[in-house]
C-alpha cells in the first residue's frame, strides 16, 4: 500500500495570508489526524477527522481548521498567518480497529 | 489533559551498547503507548507500541516496558548501531473507539558513536 502523502511539501507565506494543506491517507484508512511540529513546542495535536467529522480538537486557536472528504482525504487551513505558525505540519492516518498512526512526510510552512 | 514527560533529552552511547529512554504520563486513562523514531528531515516512524494490558513487548533489538501503577514506560534498544541515531518520541493516548489523539513527549536525541 502507498503511504500517507502530503502536499505541498514546502510553502512560504506572508503574515496575514491563509494557507491550505492537503493529506491523503493510506488506502482504507478513515481517520486522519493533524499535528504541528516546532523546535520549541514539539509535536502537538491539532485535530482528528473520521468519516468527514471532526472527532477531537487540540488546543489551537480557531484560525486552524480542517475538513475531510468522502474519500478520506483531508485538508487543514490556517487563516491570518502569524510568524509563530512556521512549523512542520504532519498528518497521520489510522485504520480499522488499530490505533497505530502512520505519518506523512509533512508540509514545511514558513511564514515571513 | 494528558501530559507526557520524556528523559533524557540527549543520549550518547557507544556502538554495541544499550540505550534506555524513559517517559512518564499523567492520565491514568491512557492505555496506548507508541514510540516513534524521526531521522533528520524525515517523517516520524512508528517503531513499537504497547497497550496497557501488556507489561513488555519486544521486536528484535527494541523492547518497551510499561508500569501502569507508576505511570511510566521505557524504550530499550540493545546492540545499538549508528543507524539507530535519531530523535525518539514517546506518546500516550486513550485508545478508545473514538480517540486517535496522541500526546507526545519532548523527544530524545540519540547518538550512537562508532
Amino acid at each position: 500500500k502507498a503511504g500517507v502523502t502530503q502536499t505541498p511539501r514546502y510553502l512560504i507565506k506572508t503574515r496575514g495570508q491563509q494557507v491550505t494543506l492537503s493529506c491523503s491517507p493510506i488506502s482504507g484508512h478513515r481517520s486522519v489526524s493533524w499535528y504541528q511540529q516546532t523546535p520549541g513546542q514539539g509535536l502537538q495535536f491539532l485535530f482528528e477527522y473520521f468519516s468527514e467529522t471532526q472527532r477531537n480538537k487540540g488546543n489551537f486557536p480557531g484560525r486552524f481548521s480542517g475538513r475531510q472528504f468522502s474519500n478520506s482525504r483531508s485538508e487543514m487551513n490556517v487563516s491570518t498567518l502569524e510568524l509563530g505558525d512556521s512549523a512542520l505540519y504532519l498528518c497521520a492516518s489510522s485504520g480499522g480497529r488499530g490505533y497505530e498512526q502512520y505519518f506523512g512526510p509533512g508540509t514545511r510552512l514558513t511564514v515571513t | 489533559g494528558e501530559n507526557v514527560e520524556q528523559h533524557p533529552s540527549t543520549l550518547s552511547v557507544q556502538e554495541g551498547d544499550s540505550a534506555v529512554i524513559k517517559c512518564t504520563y499523567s492520565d491514568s486513562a491512557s492505555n496506548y503507548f507508541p514510540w516513534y523514531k524521526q531521522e533528520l528531515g524525515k517523517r516520524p516512524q512508528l517503531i513499537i507500541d504497547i497497550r496497557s494490558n501488556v507489561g513488555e513487548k519486544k521486536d528484535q533489538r527494541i523492547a518497551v516496558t510499561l508500569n501502569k501503577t507508576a505511570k511510566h514506560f521505557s524504550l530499550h534498544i540493545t546492540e545499538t548501531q549508528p543507524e539507530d541515531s535519531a530523535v525518539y518520541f514517546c506518546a500516550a493516548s486513550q485508545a478508545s473507539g473514538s480517540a486517535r489523539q496522541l500526546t507526545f513527549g519532548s523527544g530524545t536525541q540519540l547518538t550512537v558513536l562508532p
Side-chain angles (χ1 to χ4, degrees):
Chain A
K1 283 184 179 179
V4 181
T5 59
Q6 292 185 245
T7 56
R9 294 292 312 279
Y10 302 92
L11 267 179
I12 300 176
K13 291 286 188 178
T14 304
R15 271 181 303 176
Q17 289 184 316
Q18 75 166 17
V19 66
T20 299
L21 314 180
S22 181
C23 172
S24 292
I26 292 170
S27 178
H29 284 190
R30 296 167 64 189
S31 168
V32 174
S33 298
W34 288 88
Y35 295 85
Q36 181 195 65
Q37 186 174 27
T38 61
Q41 299 299 316
L43 277 155
Q44 293 186 289
F45 173 77
L46 281 155
F47 30 65
E48 183 222 354
Y49 285 86
F50 179 85
S51 292
E52 304 179 64
T53 301
Q54 187 182 87
R55 286 205 293 201
N56 287 301
K57 189 178 191 324
N59 190 25
F60 278 82
R63 299 185 297 107
F64 292 81
S65 63
R67 59 177 175 169
Q68 187 179 35
F69 302 94
S70 58
N71 62 358
S72 294
R73 187 177 71 84
S74 177
E75 290 182 346
M76 68 164 281
N77 183 277
V78 188
S79 62
T80 320
L81 284 165
E82 301 177 358
L83 294 178
D85 297 333
S86 294
L88 179 67
Y89 290 89
L90 293 156
C91 74
S93 79
S94 181
R97 289 182 172 273
Y99 301 110
E100 300 85 356
Q101 292 193 27
Y102 299 96
F103 282 88
T107 294
R108 173 74 61 187
L109 172 65
T110 302
V111 182
T112 62
Chain B
E2 175 66 277
N3 182 52
V4 177
E5 294 193 358
Q6 182 172 346
H7 300 280
S9 57
T10 61
L11 178 60
S12 292
V13 299
Q14 289 294 136
E15 182 177 358
D17 286 351
S18 295
V20 180
I21 303 171
K22 299 182 179 182
C23 290
T24 60
Y25 61 98
S26 61
D27 190 343
S28 57
S30 290
N31 58 3
Y32 174 65
F33 307 93
W35 286 87
Y36 287 85
K37 173 184 180 182
Q38 188 175 30
E39 296 175 81
L40 190 63
K42 301 282 185 65
R43 72 186 75 190
Q45 177 190 2
L46 178 65
I47 56 172
I48 196 167
D49 57 10
I50 192 168
R51 301 198 186 174
S52 59
N53 58 348
V54 176
E56 182 176 4
K57 184 177 178 180
K58 285 186 179 180
D59 183 4
Q60 300 183 0
R61 297 186 297 109
I62 294 173
V64 57
T65 58
L66 171 65
N67 183 326
K68 285 190 298 181
T69 303
K71 290 192 280 189
H72 66 70
F73 55 112
S74 300
L75 178 71
H76 304 253
I77 306 174
T78 59
E79 301 173 17
T80 54
Q81 302 167 3
E83 51 265 38
D84 294 329
S85 296
V87 179
Y88 291 80
F89 293 96
C90 63
S93 172
Q94 291 182 40
S96 68
S98 63
R100 295 292 187 274
Q101 176 176 344
L102 294 175
T103 301
F104 284 88
S106 54
T108 296
Q109 173 69 62
L110 173 64
T111 302
V112 180
L113 305 168

